[in-house]
Amino acid sequence: MKLRRAAALAVAAAAAGLTLTAAVNPQPPPEPPVSLPALTPAALAARYTANSAAAAQAATAAARSGNPALARSLAGLRHQHLLGFDPNGPGEAVEVLGNLATARRVVILVPGSDTSLTTFGSRGSASPQGGARALAAQARRLDPGARLAVIAWLGYRTPSLLSPAVLTSGNAGQGAQALRPLVISLAGHGDQVALLCHSYGSVVCGLAAPQLPVTDIAVFGSPGMDASSVRSLHTTARVWAGRDAGDWIRDVPHVRLLGVGFGADPTAPSFGARRFGCGGDGHSGYLQPGSASLRNLAYIALGESGKVTP
């Protein structure tokens, strides 16, 4: 909690006049997005098999290099449906739950700061893998016959919570560039796509939003979307916002000054988003099983907006 409060104070200091230079916060050039296979059972199976083998190889290398936490996380990915995988640096992984070949709705979970291959599945429902599993299970309970696929998307290098990068949209811009081709490909296949974006991930979704073919964008625990309002997102999607009353993110100033900060509060009435109710589980508890926020996010994922509760 002290670290989280420190992050909020760091943003406040930045808003008061802290200048971040390129030397302090260098941003590498964006990498070209990895092309998707055809969304057929055979093509997806081949992709999953190749990435599973790559994860197993990376797990062995991590164990040999004396990194047991990473090795355990990678071992947990070996038999999963990985649409994308990159073991370099903090790493990237894109895991699919459900049948992507036959899905008619696809929901993509976009995580926030301090997420890497090491933490991809180690924090329960607060991690991309655990959160995706909780969401998929909740959706099955609400609509057992839904043709829904859930994607845990760690497709960008997330910033560290206590680094200068977490105060700017540099990493988020790279994430948006990687996210857009995936969404466009899925929509081109005929899928209805929704984005569920946590914390710094909501900045990624805000930057990716303009003219993106999605039905819904839901942000939770958001510091801002690098936008002043729903209108400025230039999207036809339903835009949702939720924040738990005990979430420390409420202490982050909703400003943008000298490239620092992410603008207006998406939960403010003036922003224009649809509000959804959350439980009492704090910044990392939005996908906690049994929570009001998980239930509401599952309804958004299913496209059942009329059942979302404030």
Side-chain angles (χ1 to χ4, degrees):
M1 183 61 70
K2 290 181 179 179
L3 293 179
R4 292 169 177 171
R5 294 292 182 188
L9 292 174
V11 177
L18 176 64
T19 301
L20 300 178
T21 66
V24 172
N25 186 27
Q27 294 296 333
E31 298 178 1
V34 177
S35 60
L36 283 179
L39 299 184
T40 63
L44 287 169
R47 173 64 69 90
Y48 297 156
T49 298
N51 284 330
S52 179
Q57 183 178 16
T60 300
R64 289 175 176 171
S65 66
N67 192 338
L70 177 58
R72 284 193 299 271
S73 180
L74 291 170
L77 291 175
R78 288 182 299 181
H79 303 297
Q80 307 308 317
H81 290 168
L82 297 179
L83 192 62
F85 178 74
D86 180 359
N88 296 309
E92 298 179 5
V94 180
E95 181 178 347
V96 178
L97 301 178
N99 192 332
L100 199 56
T102 61
R104 285 295 168 261
R105 283 194 65 84
V106 180
V107 59
I108 303 173
L109 290 179
V110 182
S113 61
D114 277 342
T115 309
S116 65
L117 283 179
T118 302
T119 61
F120 188 77
S122 65
R123 300 172 177 170
S125 63
S127 63
Q129 185 181 69
R133 290 177 177 177
L135 181 69
Q138 179 69 71
R140 283 194 299 270
R141 287 191 291 271
L142 297 176
D143 186 354
R147 295 167 65 181
L148 175 71
V150 179
I151 296 179
W153 187 82
L154 178 59
Y156 76 113
R157 288 349 193 219
T158 71
S160 168
L161 183 62
L162 295 182
S163 72
V166 81
L167 307 179
T168 74
S169 58
N171 290 67
Q174 295 169 29
Q177 288 184 15
L179 180 61
R180 286 181 60 87
L182 172 61
V183 172
I184 292 169
S185 178
L186 292 169
H189 183 253
D191 297 322
Q192 293 185 329
V193 184
L195 300 177
L196 305 187
C197 320
H198 178 237
S199 195
Y200 187 86
S202 63
V203 187
V204 175
C205 292
L207 294 175
Q211 285 79 55
L212 197 64
V214 293
T215 63
D216 298 85
I217 301 173
V219 300
F220 43 105
S222 174
M225 298 182 73
D226 217 28
S228 59
S229 65
V230 167
R231 184 176 181 180
S232 68
L233 291 172
H234 303 290
T235 179
T236 59
R238 294 179 289 256
V239 178
W240 305 82
R243 185 175 68 218
D244 179 68
D247 189 341
W248 60 266
I249 204 76
R250 70 183 186 277
D251 297 326
V252 172
H254 291 284
V255 298
R256 182 169 176 79
L257 178 67
L258 300 176
V260 174
F262 307 110
D265 179 0
T267 66
S270 58
F271 192 83
R274 305 180 184 204
R275 292 291 301 274
F276 65 89
C278 300
D281 298 299
H283 189 67
S284 299
Y286 290 95
L287 296 173
Q288 180 71 30
S291 65
S293 50
L294 177 63
R295 184 179 179 87
N296 279 329
L297 288 167
Y299 276 132
I300 293 170
L302 291 165
E304 299 183 19
S305 58
K307 296 182 179 180
V308 177
T309 57

